[in-house]
Amino acid sequence: MPTFSRLIRFLAKDGRTYYGDAILPSGVTDLAKAAQANVIKGHIFGKHDVTEQVADVKLLLAPLARDDVRTVRCLGLNYEQHAKESGMPIPKYPVLFYKPVTSLNGPFDNIPVPELAQQAEGLDYECELVAVIGREARDVPESKALEYVLGYAVGNDVSHREWQLRRGGGQWALGKGFDGWAPWGPGLVSARIIKDPQALNISTKLNGKTVQQSSTKDMIFGVAQTIAFLSRGTTLLPGDLIFTGTPQGVGSGKKPPLWLRDGDVVEVGLEGVGTCVNKVEHVKSRPKL
């Protein structure tokens, strides 16, 4: 398991891309403010070392390269107050769906909205704690589940309610799976540092105004319970991401609904981890020749 404390992946001022252990000023926990890091040599999910080499950060990237990600699992309706605002019963079992790895995006990248998703209103935000599996896990007991976590990040499960709920044929994937619709980061904080993932403040700001404010203690299925359940008869692999659901305050739950617009800036934050800040950008299709 990791030797790092706060993993970031970044484009350095020397033009190279590194994994590194973030160097933060005293009293600062937001990884988005990392300006330097000790370069990590080796494989993040295998043998690796935090070196004495210090590199200057030019741009923070998604915490894991796409080739290092296996799957993106997500939970729906996993906060009690969110289930209530959605008018849905409290789930008896975790509500699981998947997003494609192409939906992953960096902590400061724009959120691209393709023409298909511009046809109707319904674009929504969802701040979420993201747990990353660090070693192979199958039939893991809840009491041991957190030992399999590489680290924690914050993410935004960007969703289009029209395509998720009405045009998707009963499946959520289409309305949540467009390219770049899962910004996450700004890095990974080791499970050695975050010992209790159920005691963290989590929030979303839209154009500087707080629209979601909650605590991970409101989760219906906590991180340990989720990992234990998902590993029953199914092997979780190093590099699997688990977006663990969103609290109350989503745009679809407001009256009138609060939909994301072209140019809006969305900031999701998780205590002890940091913030991702992403701008909504309507784009035109670019057919490949």
Side-chain angles (χ1 to χ4, degrees):
M1 291 299 280
T3 58
F4 63 82
S5 296
R6 294 176 171 87
L7 176 73
I8 57 173
R9 190 171 70 91
F10 62 99
L11 175 65
K13 291 182 180 179
D14 64 9
R16 301 179 64 183
T17 297
Y18 298 101
Y19 280 110
D21 199 352
I23 300 172
L24 293 175
S26 178
V28 174
T29 60
D30 186 347
L31 286 173
K33 300 185 183 302
Q36 290 185 316
N38 290 100
V39 172
I40 293 175
K41 300 290 187 180
H43 196 279
I44 292 302
F45 295 103
K47 180 175 174 51
H48 62 270
D49 296 297
V50 178
T51 71
E52 296 297 320
Q53 179 186 351
V54 175
D56 294 321
V57 176
K58 181 178 180 181
L59 177 67
L60 286 176
L61 307 173
L64 295 179
R66 185 184 293 179
D67 289 345
D68 289 332
V69 176
R70 298 298 188 94
T71 64
V72 184
R73 288 172 168 85
C74 307
L75 296 190
L77 301 173
N78 194 35
Y79 280 71
E80 185 172 346
Q81 295 305 313
H82 174 53
K84 290 180 178 178
E85 77 173 349
S86 302
M88 303 289 286
I90 302 299
K92 185 177 179 181
Y93 302 103
V95 178
L96 175 66
F97 64 95
Y98 289 76
K99 292 176 80 113
V101 294
T102 50
S103 69
L104 294 174
N105 210 347
F108 303 110
D109 293 337
N110 287 349
I111 298 168
V113 182
E115 291 180 333
L116 185 65
Q118 297 174 34
Q119 294 178 358
E121 292 185 322
L123 188 62
D124 212 343
Y125 50 83
E126 293 190 5
C127 61
E128 308 205 4
L129 178 151
V130 182
V132 179
I133 299 298
R135 58 191 176 100
E136 195 167 300
R138 188 176 190 275
D139 295 327
V140 173
E142 185 176 338
S143 61
K144 300 288 186 180
L146 296 184
E147 297 176 11
Y148 292 81
V149 175
L150 181 75
Y152 300 100
V154 65
N156 186 352
D157 175 18
V158 181
S159 307
H160 197 293
R161 305 306 183 190
E162 182 68 22
W163 283 103
Q164 176 192 354
L165 301 174
R166 285 172 283 278
R167 301 187 184 187
Q171 299 290 326
W172 288 2
L174 182 58
K176 288 174 170 281
F178 291 104
D179 287 355
W181 279 29
W184 73 299
L188 283 181
V189 177
S190 167
R192 290 185 291 104
I193 294 177
I194 296 181
K195 298 184 182 300
D196 183 3
Q198 306 311 140
L200 306 174
N201 293 320
I202 188 168
S203 64
T204 300
K205 291 182 180 179
L206 176 57
N207 298 324
K209 179 182 178 181
T210 299
V211 289
Q212 286 184 286
Q213 182 70 58
S214 188
S215 169
T216 55
K217 68 181 180 182
D218 191 50
M219 283 186 191
I220 298 166
F221 304 101
V223 176
Q225 189 176 5
T226 295
I227 292 171
F229 180 84
L230 295 181
S231 72
R232 290 183 182 176
T234 301
T235 302
L236 303 179
L237 297 173
D240 281 348
L241 274 57
I242 304 174
F243 278 65
T244 56
T246 196
Q248 76 280 6
V250 295
S252 58
K254 298 185 183 297
K255 297 181 180 180
L258 180 63
W259 303 129
L260 297 177
R261 309 288 184 184
D262 187 29
D264 281 350
V265 176
V266 188
E267 177 182 330
V268 294
L270 181 66
E271 182 182 1
V273 173
T275 54
C276 297
V277 183
N278 307 93
K279 184 178 180 179
V280 177
E281 179 187 25
H282 283 197
V283 297
K284 294 183 178 180
S285 60
R286 299 186 299 272
K288 292 185 178 180
L289 299 179

